[in-house]
Structures are given as structure tokens and as C-alpha cells.
Amino acid sequence: MVKAQTSSEENLEISKIISKYSTKRLYQIFRERIDGGKFKAAGRKKIEREGYNLLIEADKVLFQPNGREDRYPLVFTIEDLKKNEKSCLEFNKTAKSEDTGIFEHVEGQWFLLKYQSDDFKVEVVLEPKPDYLLIDGRIRTNSERIIRAGIELGIDAIGWDWYEGLRDVHKIEKEEQYYLYGRDFRVGKRGKLPFYSFGNISNKDIGLTLGVSPQEPRLFEIAYDATQKRYQLFLDMVVSPKTKKFPNEVTFSGFLVALKENTGFRASVEKYYQLFPHAAVKRVKKEGNWMPFADIGAISDAEDFRFAYHELNIHHDGTVRSKVDINYNLRHDIYNFAYTEPWLYWVEAPKDLKRNHDTILELVNKNLDSDNEKIRDFASAGLLSSIRLDDGKYFIRIEDAPWCYGAVYNTNTDPTIKTNEKCPLNRAQVELKQAMRSIKNSYFHGVYLDSMQANEVVDDYDEKRFEATEFPLTFDTKKRVPAISQFICAYHFTELIADYLHDEGKLLMGNFPAAFTFFTQHIDVPGEETGWLNNDRYEPMNDKELSMRRVLAFKKPYLFLMAVNFDKFSKEMVDRYMKRCLFYGMFPSMFSFNAQDAPYWENPAWYNRDRDLFRKYLSHIVNLSKAGWEPVTGVYSDNKDIFVERFGKARDGDVYVTCANQTDKVQEGKIDLSGFITGKETLDINELL
């Protein structure tokens, strides 16, 4: 056990961590590269790169895939959503004004497009990278504006394929509008949030990918408008004087790729992780199942269940609170993760308290004077960081959860929110304090972030927090009121703690990181609780949902915890659950119907009932996860109802092919393996089940 440091020492260490891992943001990069930079008017240019050419012609910028005559104009748009006005930006290099035109950097082969009107000053940087075009932008105004910025490629793609994911594809038809697969949300123009940060349109000869930078999270939308014949990336933002780190300006970043070897959306997935390799780093050395809280050592022959990751409750001093045999975990090379839940603040209330917004707030203020350090720290964080609604009140939900009678706040986890003498720690700092304490214990391998999906609940309208944010504000879909997206401030904290842990040789595990496309790049062990039982009927996630999780995790292990009544979740259902996870190379574990009571792993009757299924499937899932999922399979089924996936590369050893029948009837089909065979190999094929 490690004795807690003094508050002053820890506060200093927390400040150093926040300072050390403060990533340079795009608004800072623009100031360094653009303001005061040396440029000259761009003449007629042809920049040749792998896969594409960038053409500068008079007042046009054209994108030309290599080997093709087609030249697609790049168009930049701004829509003022309050005035309902949309502007198409024209860049005229012959203009006399230094504020309008296309300019070339004198020392590097990249271009600055400048446009100025009475309302907007726009700068777009086009940087031709070796195999993709990077597009960064800055928009400035003199007053608060709610805008939608667009990066658009003029292309007649009628008859092309529009991809929603690995297997969901639609022919683009005239007069139709296509949007990337996502979920309903409450912010931005359309109130939608895509699951993927890139899209794909393809025909038999070419594929084009348009997307957003993974390190510059924005609320965005990817679309194809068949009426305008434009492939579009839109970013919904607010330009405001209240964002003190970048007053009256917003920035955005996107990219455009021409795919040399086009296999639809799968080619886009593979290219994305090549362009942004930090998002694909796999750090775990062991594959296996997820144990929530319970003692693995207390399970007879626990090796049958192939546990690799243990989620553990901790005390505020960073030591283990869960009643477990840590030595068992260490002997069996099981990763131990210290539990945290940064996005929520649970307030325990007396049973006789009449609970409402004001009584809970009064209780939190009293907790600032508690003798209990944890209660005191969390009260400080709650008052500094809890999200406020547009009426100025805290967002408080009265809760009777199995682990808390009281209330719960959603919090803004921006680590740079200012503290004061009364409230010395914000929410991010409290979590960093616990993380620091935990990882000083040698038996902890990292930190576990619970409830990442909780960030979709509400957004922060507190204008004092606008001063801290390092990303543009967004806006309520209906009221069009500026706010901080809770997703984006949660990203800021996730990025920071991941960088800190990785430098310490530790790992980050997350529950529901697929809630926001930008999270998973920082999570080493992604997973989520799930429930595939509805009115006592087995209802699994569909292929679209599971494929999305596979794409976001890429080659990292993806884990499930089934959270249902296990008396009703029969052995036959468990078998189907495991088969479905096997197809996607994901791990099937179990939890509790309400995240606390009647846990599966504390009931031998349940886990012994299913033990033979774990023994049957888990070793194969471990092998799939070790081999690594391959988005471009090179494996094809001649039956559309038989899905196939591939794990592993031939040059690295065994290659695994998984097949799934998506119907209730027996299907027959041929599996073509020629896509990853050079003609010299001799195949030894084994049916492993």
C-alpha cells in the first residue's frame, strides 16, 4: 500500500502533467504557420503525389486522381445558420487585394487560400502530403456566428457506391442526399453524429475518401448531395469572442484521399490507419476476457474462461477496494485496471432528504467541509465542472442506483477549467489524482474509464467554461444556442490521460468508447456492457453495429460484458452470443443485470453451466485477436448471406477466415481465398470448430 502524498505535492504534479501533455492545437499551429508567414501569389501549378495530383488553375483548385482525366474542383462553403445564408468562397489569384486569392508558401510546397468579405475572413491551407491531401481551415468574424463550414468536392458520382460501413452500400441516385451512418444527437445543424470519421464513394475504377482529422475533434457530417453533385464534409461550429484562447475564430481539419487499390469502405479503413498510425497502436501483450470486479482466484479452474483484463474498484488513495486475490492475477499475467468514471459525479444523500436541484446543490456545498478527502475532492470537482443547462442550473438527475441513493451530475472534464481557493480541484484533476495514486502501485497496469457513453446526455452552456476550451463551441440543434459538446471536452481528458499513462508504460481501458469516433484511438482495451435479451428473447447487435465497433477498435481487442438476467439468458443464447463474437474476433464475458446485483461470476451454477462453451470458443477468439483483424480481406463469398472476415497476414503465419450465416436458413456457398494468395503458397486448410 502507498501512502497518499500531501495535497500541495500532488497538485503540483497534476499541474505538471496537464502542462506536459497539452497538445498543440490547430489554432496555435495556424498562428505559427500563417500569421507573419511569407507567401507569394501562386501561378499555374501541378503538384504530383502518390495517388493524386493537385492542380492550381487561375481561381480554381482541382483534385485529380492519378491515371485519370477527371479533375474535381474543391469548393469551400460557409453557411450562417442564424441568417440562413450560404456563401461559396471564390479564390481569385489575379485579385489585387492581399486578402483574397491563392498563395504559395515561399519555403514549402503548400498553399494558402484567402477570402475576405464584410462578414468573414477565411483561410484554407492545402498541404499535399505524400499520399493524401491535408485541408486545414480558419474562419474569423467580428461577432458571434453560428456556422456550418464545408469542404466539398465537385464530382458527378451518380451511379457510384455510397458506403455506410463494411457491408452497407447503396447506389447513388439522382436527386438524393446521402449521409454517413450515425446516431441522433441534439447539436449541430441536423442533430446527427457519425460513427466514422471518414466516408467512401466508389465506382469500379476509383474510390475517394473524405474525412476529419482524428486529433482535432469537431461535430461534423459527411454526405453526398446528388442534386449539387458534391461530396461533402461539414463542420458545425460557433465563432465567439467568449472562447478566450481563440476569440472570434474557429479552425477545422480534413483530408482527402484517392484510393489506388479500391475495395470500397474497407480500403478507406485500411488507408485511414496508415495515414494516422497512432490510432492503430496495439499495446496489450495478452488477449482474453474481461472480469468486472469479482475475484478471479475464487473461480475453480478460472483458466477455462481466459481472463486477461480485470476491472477493479479502488479507494481514493489508489489502493484496491475490490475483494480480490491480486497475487493470483499477477501469477497469471492478468492486467489490473483502476476504476474511474470522470464524466459523472455521484452524490450520496441522506435517506430523509427531499431531493431536488437546490437541496442536492446545498449538500454538495456542505461536502466541501467534509473530513473525508474523497467527498471533499468530489464536491470541489462537482461545483467547478458540473455541466450547466442554458437556464444556468446544474444538470442534476435524481438517482436511486444500486450503488448510490442521491443524485448524479454530468461533468465537463476539460483539465484547464480554473480552480479557486474554495474549490481547489476540477473534475479532470480529481481523476488524475486517483490515477497517479493507482499506478504507483505495481500491481496496476492502467486505468479504466467507465461510462464513456454518458457524454451524449447533455452539453455545457456555462460561459465561464468557454474561456478554457481548446476546441470550437457547437450549438443546440433547435435553439441554436452556443455550447461546449460534452463529447469534445471528454475527448480532451481522454487524450491527456492516455498520453500520460502511455509514457508511464501503462494502459487505458474504456467502457463504451465507440460512443464517439474520436475516443477509440486513445483506448488500448475498448469494450462495453451490453444486453442482448429483450422480453426474454435473444436480440443481438446487428452487423452494422458490430462492424462499426470492429472498425473503430481495428486490431485492438474488443470486449463485451453481457448484462442480463442469466436465468433467462439460456445456454443456447450464450452459445449464439459466443458464435457472434467469434465471427468479429471479439470477447464475450458476463456481468450483472443492473451492474451490481446477482453478478454472473459469483454464481457457480451459471458459469459452470456455460464452462464448456468458454472452453470451445475462447481459445479461437484469442488466436483471432492475436492475429489481428484485416479490413481488406482478400476473401470472398459467392453467397451474399454468408459474411466473411479475415484475421492475420500470410507472411506472419496463420490466417483465419470467419464465416457467418446472416439468415435463419441453412446457406451454402463458395469461399474464394485467392485475394491474399500470390500463387506460390501451398494452403493447409483446417476447419477449427
Side-chain angles (χ1 to χ4, degrees):
M1 185 177 292
V2 176
K3 185 178 180 181
Q5 294 174 276
T6 64
S7 295
S8 58
E9 290 172 335
E10 286 182 320
N11 287 347
L12 180 60
E13 189 172 353
I14 290 167
S15 297
K16 287 181 178 178
I17 290 170
I18 293 172
S19 176
K20 180 177 180 180
Y21 296 102
S22 294
T23 302
K24 187 173 288 186
R25 303 299 177 193
L26 190 56
Y27 70 87
Q28 296 167 310
I29 294 171
F30 254 86
R31 291 169 189 169
E32 291 178 0
R33 298 188 70 188
I34 308 305
D35 299 342
K38 295 182 179 179
F39 299 89
K40 61 182 180 182
R44 189 182 181 92
K45 296 283 182 180
K46 180 179 181 180
I47 311 301
E48 297 182 356
R49 292 290 186 263
E50 180 184 346
Y52 75 95
N53 300 321
L54 184 68
L55 309 174
I56 309 294
E57 295 185 359
D59 60 348
K60 295 180 181 179
V61 177
L62 304 167
F63 185 84
Q64 181 183 42
N66 279 350
R68 296 182 64 86
E69 295 300 319
D70 303 309
R71 305 191 307 172
Y72 307 128
L74 273 168
V75 179
F76 302 92
T77 60
I78 295 179
E79 186 175 358
D80 186 321
L81 295 174
K82 282 286 190 180
K83 293 184 176 180
N84 199 27
E85 294 177 353
K86 190 170 184 178
S87 301
C88 178
L89 310 184
E90 297 180 2
F91 302 97
N92 185 347
K93 76 180 185 66
T94 62
K96 295 181 180 180
S97 170
E98 294 183 357
D99 295 315
T100 303
I102 303 176
F103 304 91
E104 182 178 5
H105 191 258
V106 297
E107 296 176 355
Q109 202 167 49
W110 51 275
F111 300 89
L112 175 64
L113 285 60
K114 298 172 69 176
Y115 171 88
Q116 187 167 2
S117 70
D118 293 337
D119 299 323
F120 294 104
K121 185 173 184 179
V122 183
E123 295 147 312
V124 178
V125 171
L126 301 179
E127 187 169 358
K129 297 286 188 179
D131 53 351
Y132 72 104
L133 178 64
L134 179 64
I135 306 168
D136 292 337
R138 178 170 68 178
I139 300 170
R140 291 181 279 184
T141 70
N142 294 321
S143 59
E144 188 167 272
R145 297 296 182 91
I146 294 175
I147 63 170
R148 163 166 277 208
I151 300 171
E152 305 185 46
L153 189 69
I155 177 171
D156 184 351
I158 308 301
W160 289 36
D161 290 329
W162 166 265
Y163 280 89
E164 291 287 333
L166 297 180
R167 276 172 279 269
D168 288 280
V169 57
H170 310 276
K171 286 293 180 187
I172 296 175
E173 299 179 358
K174 293 180 180 179
E175 308 301 319
E176 294 293 330
Q177 182 82 43
Y178 299 85
Y179 295 98
L180 192 62
Y181 170 47
R183 62 158 52 90
D184 291 333
F185 206 51
R186 298 161 310 283
V187 290
K189 181 181 178 181
R190 292 184 64 249
K192 299 284 185 179
L193 184 67
F195 286 118
Y196 301 110
S197 54
F198 54 91
N200 177 288
I201 57 172
S202 299
N203 64 18
K204 60 184 178 62
D205 299 317
I206 186 176
L208 295 171
T209 292
L210 186 61
V212 291
S213 168
Q215 293 173 304
E216 285 290 329
R218 303 287 188 274
L219 288 167
F220 68 96
E221 194 161 67
I222 295 173
Y224 183 79
D225 186 344
T227 62
Q228 296 187 63
K229 297 181 180 178
R230 286 186 183 176
Y231 190 20
Q232 302 164 317
L233 167 61
F234 294 122
L235 302 109
D236 291 333
M237 301 174 288
V238 176
V239 189
S240 173
K242 298 166 187 171
T243 52
K244 295 301 183 184
K245 293 179 179 178
F246 46 93
N248 294 314
E249 70 177 67
V250 292
T251 53
F252 57 87
S253 184
F255 66 92
L256 178 60
V257 178
L259 299 163
K260 289 196 302 179
E261 297 181 5
N262 178 38
T263 50
F265 191 78
R266 291 178 181 272
S268 295
V269 174
E270 186 169 71
K271 192 65 178 178
Y272 175 82
Y273 287 107
Q274 290 172 356
L275 300 182
F276 305 106
H278 70 277
V281 175
K282 182 177 180 179
R283 295 180 176 85
V284 298
K285 305 301 182 185
K286 184 176 181 178
E287 322 284 334
N289 242 340
W290 175 3
M291 169 58 84
F293 308 120
D295 185 4
I296 299 174
I299 298 173
S300 62
D301 298 317
E303 294 85 352
D304 288 345
F305 304 103
R306 304 298 291 260
F307 292 113
Y309 314 104
H310 202 162
E311 168 195 353
L312 294 165
N313 263 327
I314 58 171
H315 294 292
H316 197 49
D317 65 3
T319 58
V320 176
R321 179 182 173 192
S322 302
K323 295 179 181 179
V324 298
D325 182 356
I326 284 291
N327 289 325
Y328 176 93
N329 290 3
L330 297 177
R331 288 196 307 272
H332 291 83
D333 298 321
I334 293 169
Y335 291 107
N336 298 309
F337 289 90
Y339 180 96
T340 66
E341 195 179 35
W343 348 102
L344 299 176
Y345 166 39
W346 295 89
V347 185
E348 187 74 35
K351 296 291 185 182
D352 59 350
L353 182 69
K354 185 177 180 181
R355 293 172 296 166
N356 56 45
H357 177 278
D358 292 342
T359 59
I360 294 296
L361 183 56
E362 183 180 355
L363 176 61
V364 172
N365 275 282
K366 287 181 180 178
N367 285 347
L368 285 174
D369 298 321
S370 172
D371 292 333
N372 184 301
E373 180 195 21
K374 180 178 180 179
I375 292 175
R376 197 167 59 244
D377 283 355
F378 275 68
S380 169
L383 291 170
L384 282 178
S385 303
S386 291
I387 280 175
R388 289 182 185 265
L389 301 173
D390 56 358
D391 62 4
K393 288 188 174 183
Y394 288 105
F395 180 73
I396 300 175
R397 300 191 308 279
I398 304 303
E399 287 283 343
D400 292 331
W403 53 87
C404 178
Y405 175 88
V408 61
Y409 291 69
N410 277 59
T411 64
N412 181 327
T413 51
D414 187 327
T416 64
I417 289 174
K418 289 182 179 179
T419 60
N420 54 55
E421 187 175 349
K422 177 184 175 183
C423 299
L425 294 171
N426 63 37
R427 192 70 182 92
Q429 291 168 339
V430 170
E431 295 303 324
L432 285 172
K433 181 178 181 177
Q434 289 202 161
M436 283 164 29
R437 290 174 170 184
S438 296
I439 67 172
K440 285 182 170 65
N441 293 289
S442 60
Y443 49 75
F444 274 120
H445 299 87
V447 170
Y448 170 89
L449 300 178
D450 198 11
S451 307
M452 300 187 81
Q453 88 287 3
N455 297 293
E456 68 185 64
V457 174
V458 71
D459 297 292
D460 196 353
Y461 296 87
D462 189 338
E463 293 186 359
K464 291 182 180 178
R465 317 266 174 77
F466 294 2
E467 299 178 6
T469 186
E470 295 185 347
F471 301 101
L473 306 175
T474 187
F475 51 90
D476 177 276
T477 302
K478 293 182 179 179
K479 298 180 182 179
R480 303 253 165 109
V481 178
I484 298 172
S485 166
Q486 193 186 3
F487 270 127
I488 289 178
C489 56
Y491 168 87
H492 190 173
F493 174 79
T494 303
E495 175 191 57
L496 185 146
I497 196 169
D499 289 345
Y500 164 60
L501 290 172
H502 293 155
D503 271 5
E504 296 291 324
K506 303 293 183 178
L507 302 170
L508 187 60
M509 184 175 180
N511 190 13
F512 296 100
F516 190 39
T517 183
F518 298 99
F519 284 154
T520 315
Q521 62 182 312
H522 299 297
I523 304 296
D524 301 300
V525 188
E528 64 187 89
E529 299 162 43
T530 189
W532 294 3
L533 192 65
N534 184 14
N535 293 324
D536 299 342
R537 295 182 59 185
Y538 176 75
E539 289 189 5
M541 284 185 183
N542 61 35
D543 175 69
K544 200 168 187 176
E545 296 168 317
L546 288 164
S547 294
M548 177 270 290
R549 288 159 172 81
R550 183 70 276 168
V551 169
L552 294 182
F554 196 46
K555 297 180 187 295
K556 301 173 185 177
Y558 199 89
L559 320 175
F560 282 115
L561 287 182
M562 188 59 63
V564 295
N565 181 332
F566 292 102
D567 281 329
K568 296 181 178 181
F569 200 70
S570 67
K571 184 169 183 174
E572 185 267 340
M573 292 178 183
V574 172
D575 185 65
R576 296 174 70 182
Y577 167 44
M578 291 191 179
K579 284 177 179 174
R580 199 162 185 83
C581 286
L582 175 70
F583 174 70
Y584 298 94
M586 298 174 176
F587 288 93
S589 190
M590 313 294 191
F591 193 17
S592 150
F593 75 94
N594 66 356
Q596 179 158 308
D597 299 319
Y600 178 92
W601 295 110
E602 293 181 11
N603 188 334
W606 286 333
Y607 63 71
N608 284 327
R609 176 196 70 182
D610 303 328
R611 183 185 292 268
D612 62 322
L613 297 177
F614 283 95
R615 294 179 66 181
K616 179 179 181 179
Y617 295 114
L618 263 292
S619 62
H620 298 305
I621 297 174
V622 165
N623 288 336
L624 295 178
S625 192
K626 282 182 179 177
W629 176 69
E630 293 295 330
V632 179
T633 64
V635 180
Y636 309 98
S637 165
D638 69 351
N639 182 334
K640 64 180 178 61
D641 291 321
I642 299 177
F643 292 177
V644 293
E645 293 294 345
R646 176 165 71 95
F647 298 80
K649 296 179 182 292
R651 68 170 184 263
D652 297 330
D654 292 338
V655 173
Y656 300 90
V657 177
T658 60
C659 305
N661 177 0
Q662 294 297 303
T663 74
D664 294 327
K665 298 179 180 179
V666 173
Q667 297 290 330
E668 292 185 0
K670 292 181 180 180
I671 307 300
D672 181 351
L673 305 175
S674 62
F676 65 90
I677 301 302
T678 65
K680 297 179 180 180
E681 291 90 352
T682 299
L683 289 182
D684 180 12
I685 299 176
N686 296 292
E687 204 292 301
L688 297 177
L689 291 177

